[in-house]
């Protein structure tokens, strides 16, 4: 089923912060930034990288370097991070 495949693809996105790689949910994406939800303890000003693999064999995934510009702490220890993209490949 497409729904379950799409849902499992969410967990292939990775946030790399402080030497750790954790699964992440990309909530919003633009050419200059993104909003990511992940289990982490990031602070404003931290540098992170995000990997969003492509679901199409012929397309390369998105790899970005970004700066944390906004942090919202959630009750379960997760955070929603507002990221400003500093480089993309």
């Amino acid at each position: 089923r497409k729904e379950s495949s799409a849902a499992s693809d969410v967990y292939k996105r990775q946030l790399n912060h402080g030497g750790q790689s954790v699964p992440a949910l990309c909530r919003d994406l633009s050419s200059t930034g993104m909003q990511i939800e992940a289990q982490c303890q990031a602070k404003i000003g931290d540098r992170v990288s995000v990997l969003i693999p492509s679901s199409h064999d012929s397309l390369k995934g998105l790899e970005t370097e970004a700066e944390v510009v906004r942090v919202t702490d959630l009750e379960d220890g997760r955070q929603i991070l507002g990221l400003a993209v500093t480089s993309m490949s």
Side-chain angles (χ1 to χ4, degrees), residues 45-81:
D46 284 357
R47 301 283 181 171
V48 299
S49 63
V50 178
L51 170 63
I52 302 175
S54 174
S55 59
H56 301 281
D57 292 336
S58 60
L59 297 174
K60 183 181 174 194
L62 175 67
E63 295 181 45
T64 66
E65 298 293 323
E67 181 179 346
V68 178
V69 294
R70 186 175 59 253
V71 176
T72 303
D73 293 317
L74 302 176
E75 291 182 13
D76 63 357
R78 297 173 64 79
Q79 292 181 313
I80 297 173
L81 306 177

Side-chain angles (χ1 to χ4, degrees), residues 20-39:
Q20 293 187 320
S21 181
V22 295
L25 170 65
C26 182
R27 301 177 113 214
D28 188 33
L29 176 65
S30 73
S31 61
T32 59
M34 65 180 72
Q35 187 178 67
I36 296 287
E37 182 178 330
Q39 183 79 35

